[in-house]
Amino acid sequence: MVSSEGLCGSSPPAAAPMTQYGVTKPISMAGPTEADILRSRDLEKFLVEAGLYEINEESSSREEVLGRIQEIVTNWVKQLTHLRGYTDQMVEDANAVIFTFGSYRLGVHGPGSDIDTLCVGPSYVNREEDFFFVLHNILAEREEVTELQPVPDAHVPVMKFKFNGIPIDLLYASISHLVVPHDLDISDMSVLYNVDEPTVRSLNGCRVADQILKLVPNVEHFRTTLRCLKFWAKRRGVYSNVTGFLGGVNWALLVARICQLYPNAVPSMLVSRFFRVYTQWRWPNPVMLCAIEDGLGFSVWDPRKNHRDRTHHMPIITPSYPCMNSSYNVSTSTLRVMMEQFQYGNSICEKIELNRAKWSALFEPYLFFQSYTNYLQVDILAADADDLRSWKGWVESRLRQLTLLIERDTYGKLQCHPYPQEYVDASKPSAHCAFFMGLQRKQGEIIHEGHQFDIRGSVDEFRHSINMYMFWKPGMEIYVSHVRRKQLPAYVHPDDYKCSRNLRLTSHQQFYKLSRNNGVAYQTESAEKCLKRKKDLDGENSEQHRLVKQRSPDRDQSGSPEIISHKLSSNSTGCSTSGLDETNGFAGANASSNSSGISSCSHEDIGNESTAGSSEGSNGGYDNLLSSRSDSYDDLKSSVEDEHADKNRVLQDGLPKELRAKYGGWCCSKVHEWSCRCRVCEESLDKVEFGINGLT
C-alpha cells in the first residue's frame, strides 16, 4: 500500500540516499508534487476497492498452511533417511526447509492467489522418485490436499495442489548438504555447488525475489506499483508467462527497473513512467537491475556467446546468479500485443495526469472477442475433472508452440494473439475447456490476390507434440478449429452480451472443388459474381448454370504448385477469396488427438480487424469499409455438392439451427477421410466429415 512517508512534500526527502540503483544513473531524482500525492492516494483507494488486498484472517490461514507443509516435508525427509539406513542421529537431524517466492515473498499477493514455495532438501533425496512419487503419494492421502497435479516435465518441475483451499506451487531443490540447516541462507552462492540445471532454476525463484527487494529504493512504493500493474496486465490480457506474455517475476523486474530510474517517485508517478519508458524501449535491449556476473560455470544470458540468446525478443534479466532471461517465452506476436497495450496505458496515464480521466479508465478490460475477425479455437476435453486438470496443464504449456509454429510457417506474416483466459462449455457431457487465439495479417504486408496462409502443417506438428503426453488416458482429446467472430460460442461472452450470429456466406468466400480424376483444384467465381449471374439466369431454369467453374486466373500468383499440391493431397475442402483488391487468408484446421482433418481457406478481411479492444489507435475507417462490403452480401447463401454422389459424400451447407449457433461449422456427413470423433454429436463415428469452422 502507499506509505504516507515521502508523500508530504513537493521535493525529495532531505535524507534520501545517494546510492545509485541499477546499471545506469536515474533518469530523474524529482519527488512528488501535491497533485502526484493526491493521485497516489486515489490509486491506493482504487486498488483497495478492487479487492486486491487480503484480510488478516486470510493472511493467518496462509501462514498456518505453510507451517503444515513444513511439517509434512520434514517428516518425509526423516522417513527417507530412515529407509536408506542412515544412523538414528542422522534421522533425528534430517530436515527440509520451505521457502517462498513470487508474489507472496514480494508482498503483492491478493485474495485467492497461490503461494509459490520451494522445498530445499538434502543431497540424498532426489526429485524424480522421492519428490514426484513418494511425497506425491503422501500428499494424495491427506484430506486437506485437493487437485494434486505433478508437472515433472516443466522447465521448472513443479507439483501443484490446494491445501485447505489455498493454491500451492511446490518446487524441490536437492543441495549438496547431508543436513539442511534451519537457517539456510539461500542467497549465498554456496547453495549452487554441485547441483544440476533444474535445481538451479528451482532455487533461482527465491534468490531473485530476495535480490529484487534489495535493489529497489522504496519497497512499499515498489509493492503498490507492482500490485497496480499486475492487475492492469490481467485486465488487458497480457499476464501469462506460459502463453508467451509476462508472468509475475517479469512484471516485478520491469517495475523494479522503473523504481531505480525514478528513486524518489511515488506510485502514481511510477505507473505513468512505466508506460512512458516501455513504449519507447528499444527491444531487444535487455532490462537489467544489476550487472551480469559470472561465477560457477553455469550458463548466463550473453547474446555475444550464446546464439539462442540472440533470438530473444524481450529480454528481462534476473538479478541473481546465474542471470537468465526470464521472458524467453515472448514471441514477435505477443511482443506486438504488449507494445500495443503499453501504448494504450500510456495514453490513459497522460489523460489522468491532465485530470481528463480517472484510474478506473486504465483498468478497462480488453475486448478480445471484438478485436479480431478470425480466431483459432482450441478445445480440450477429458473424461472427468481430474483428467482435464492434468491434460489442460500439458496442452496449455505447449500452446505457445502453436504460436511459434504459425509465425515460422507464415514467415511472420500471420500474427497470433493467444488469449490467456480459459473458457468452459458447461453444456458438454465431458469435462471441457477452451482457449482462443486472435489471427490477423501483419500490418503493412503486401499480399497478392488470392494468397493463402496454410497453417495445416503447423497445427499437425502441434498435434503431434501434444500426443507425446506420457500420462494420456482415454477421453483426453484436443480439437483445433478456425472460427469467425460471428461464430464464436456463446459461453465466451458475458450473460448480458448480445450479438448477431449470422453464419451465412459472405462475398469474401468462394470454394475450391477437388477433381477426383486429375487432382486439380477448380475455383468457383466470387460470391459477388455468382449473385449477379444468378440474377441473369433466373429465367433459364437451368441447374447446370447454378455454379460456374473456372480455373483460378491468379493461381500461379497466389502460391507455388507445390503448395497447392500439398493442400490438395489432404483431400480437404477449402475456400478462397478474390472479391477485393487486397486478399489474404489462412488455412484453418480441425485436429483431434488421434487424427486431423484440415481445410484451407482464404479471407480478404483477415488483418483488417477492428480494434474494439482498445480505445486508442483505431483503424476504424478501413475496417468499416470492409465491414460494409461484407455485410452487403449477408443474404447470399451457397452450398457445395460433391461430384461423387454414388459415394454418398455430402458436404452440408450449415448445421441445424440449434447446433449452428453452438458450433458454427460443417456438420457430420456420410463419408470421411479421417477416423475421429464428431464435434457435433460427440460420438465416435466410422464416417465423419470435418470442415473448417468459418466457411459459413
Side-chain angles (χ1 to χ4, degrees), residues 22-242:
V23 294
T24 62
K25 293 182 179 180
I27 293 177
S28 173
M29 296 292 293
T33 64
E34 288 294 335
D36 293 323
I37 295 171
L38 292 175
R39 280 193 289 269
S40 288
R41 289 173 179 167
D42 290 341
L43 176 60
E44 177 188 0
K45 181 180 179 182
F46 177 87
L47 298 178
V48 171
E49 293 176 349
L52 300 186
Y53 295 88
E54 68 178 4
I55 60 178
N56 294 332
E57 289 78 1
E58 290 177 293
S59 299
S60 300
S61 298
R62 290 178 182 272
E63 294 175 3
E64 181 182 349
V65 165
L66 289 173
R68 298 282 295 278
I69 295 176
Q70 175 66 68
E71 180 182 343
I72 291 172
V73 298
T74 300
N75 292 334
W76 163 62
V77 171
K78 289 182 181 292
Q79 175 186 340
L80 292 173
T81 306
H82 175 73
L83 290 174
R84 286 177 182 155
Y86 287 95
T87 64
D88 293 341
Q89 185 61 46
M90 278 286 293
V91 173
E92 183 179 347
D93 295 339
N95 186 43
V97 181
I98 291 292
F99 294 91
T100 62
F101 61 101
S103 62
Y104 186 82
R105 176 67 183 92
L106 294 174
V108 294
H109 61 285
S113 61
D114 62 356
I115 305 178
D116 296 309
T117 55
L118 167 69
C119 175
V120 179
S123 57
Y124 56 86
V125 177
N126 62 57
R127 180 187 301 105
E128 291 76 15
E129 297 178 1
D130 299 330
F131 180 71
F132 278 114
F133 286 94
V134 179
L135 182 59
H136 173 273
N137 293 336
I138 292 174
L139 293 172
E141 293 174 356
R142 301 187 68 95
E143 295 181 355
E144 312 98 311
V145 177
T146 58
E147 301 182 15
L148 182 60
Q149 177 190 352
V151 192
D153 296 326
H155 186 65
V156 181
V158 60
M159 193 143 55
K160 298 173 176 286
F161 57 93
K162 287 185 177 181
F163 199 104
N164 284 340
I166 297 177
I168 304 291
D169 285 358
L170 180 62
L171 313 182
Y172 179 72
S174 175
I175 62 175
S176 57
H177 289 66
L178 285 177
V179 178
V180 179
H182 292 278
D183 58 349
L184 176 68
D185 182 8
I186 202 169
S187 297
D188 193 280
M189 189 81 75
S190 63
V191 300
L192 300 179
Y193 291 160
N194 300 321
V195 297
D196 57 12
E197 289 282 354
T199 299
V200 171
R201 292 193 290 267
S202 298
L203 290 167
N204 226 22
C206 297
R207 291 164 54 82
V208 166
D210 289 346
Q211 197 71 3
I212 288 175
L213 295 176
K214 294 176 182 178
L215 292 174
V216 294
N218 188 308
V219 173
E220 288 303 316
H221 291 174
F222 162 76
R223 285 173 172 164
T224 302
T225 308
L226 177 56
R227 195 183 295 271
C228 167
L229 287 165
K230 286 180 64 176
F231 182 53
W232 173 85
K234 292 175 182 178
R235 297 286 283 179
R236 302 300 297 177
V238 290
Y239 187 93
S240 175
N241 183 58
V242 71

Side-chain angles (χ1 to χ4, degrees), residues 399-581:
L399 279 177
R400 183 180 68 93
Q401 297 300 323
L402 180 57
T403 302
L404 296 177
L405 290 170
I406 292 175
E407 289 179 351
R408 181 199 68 186
D409 294 344
T410 62
Y411 304 99
K413 296 181 180 180
L414 181 62
Q415 296 175 330
C416 301
H417 179 177
Y419 199 57
Q421 184 175 344
E422 66 177 83
Y423 296 86
V424 177
D425 185 0
S427 65
K428 284 189 176 292
S430 56
H432 165 269
C433 71
F435 292 91
F436 292 83
M437 292 184 182
L439 299 173
Q440 71 172 12
R441 172 175 55 83
K442 183 178 180 180
Q443 298 296 328
E445 282 291 330
I446 300 176
I447 305 297
H448 296 290
E449 185 174 359
H451 174 74
Q452 290 184 326
F453 289 120
D454 187 353
I455 62 173
R456 292 173 296 175
S458 309
V459 172
D460 199 43
E461 187 173 340
F462 169 71
R463 177 179 59 82
H464 282 296
S465 69
I466 294 298
N467 287 342
M468 296 173 64
Y469 185 49
M470 64 173 58
F471 301 106
W472 184 89
K473 296 180 182 179
M476 292 182 175
E477 297 180 3
I478 177 174
Y479 300 97
V480 179
S481 54
H482 162 241
V483 292
R484 307 273 294 185
R485 184 193 302 170
K486 292 182 179 180
Q487 298 165 324
L488 288 167
Y491 58 80
V492 305
H493 298 298
D495 294 337
D496 57 349
Y497 180 84
K498 295 182 180 180
C499 67
S500 174
R501 295 188 174 276
N502 188 344
L503 303 179
R504 292 170 292 185
L505 294 178
T506 67
S507 63
H508 305 312
Q509 297 172 337
Q510 56 189 11
F511 298 98
Y512 279 114
K513 294 184 67 176
L514 179 62
S515 171
R516 189 179 182 89
N517 295 327
N518 54 22
V520 178
Y522 292 90
Q523 187 178 27
T524 67
E525 292 178 331
S526 68
E528 183 176 356
K529 293 179 180 179
C530 284
L531 180 61
K532 181 179 179 181
R533 184 175 295 275
K534 183 179 179 181
K535 292 180 179 179
D536 294 339
L537 300 176
D538 280 343
E540 296 184 16
N541 294 324
S542 177
E543 181 62 19
Q544 62 182 355
H545 292 94
R546 193 172 65 87
L547 288 175
V548 179
K549 296 179 182 179
Q550 66 176 17
R551 186 179 300 273
S552 172
D554 300 314
R555 181 174 173 183
D556 294 335
Q557 301 175 7
S558 63
S560 66
E562 291 78 14
I563 295 177
I564 295 296
S565 175
H566 171 69
K567 293 176 182 177
L568 298 178
S569 67
S570 299
N571 292 331
S572 58
T573 303
C575 69
S576 178
T577 60
S578 59
L580 294 181
D581 294 335

Side-chain angles (χ1 to χ4, degrees), residues 620-688:
Y622 189 53
D623 297 337
N624 293 337
L625 172 62
L626 291 174
S627 178
S628 63
R629 286 195 175 188
S630 173
D631 292 340
S632 64
Y633 298 100
D634 276 345
D635 291 332
L636 176 64
K637 291 184 176 180
S638 176
S639 63
V640 177
E641 296 180 356
D642 195 274
E643 301 172 26
H644 312 289
D646 56 328
K647 297 289 186 178
N648 289 326
R649 183 186 180 192
V650 180
L651 289 177
Q652 301 179 6
D653 63 345
L655 303 178
K657 185 176 181 181
E658 63 275 9
L659 293 178
R660 187 168 55 186
K662 184 176 180 181
Y663 292 93
W666 298 103
C667 185
C668 302
S669 72
K670 299 179 181 179
V671 175
H672 77 110
E673 275 74 31
W674 311 280
S675 175
C676 51
R677 186 177 299 274
C678 176
R679 297 189 66 225
V680 178
C681 58
E682 294 296 334
E683 294 181 3
S684 182
L685 301 178
D686 292 333
K687 297 181 178 181
V688 175

Side-chain angles (χ1 to χ4, degrees), residues 313-347:
H313 302 287
M314 192 182 188
I316 303 172
I317 311 304
T318 57
S320 62
Y321 177 82
C323 299
M324 308 174 183
N325 176 22
S326 63
S327 54
Y328 59 88
N329 278 349
V330 174
S331 67
T332 54
S333 288
T334 53
L335 175 59
R336 170 189 59 83
V337 172
M338 286 187 283
M339 292 303 294
E340 290 175 355
Q341 293 305 317
F342 287 163
Q343 293 283 358
Y344 168 82
N346 187 50
S347 64

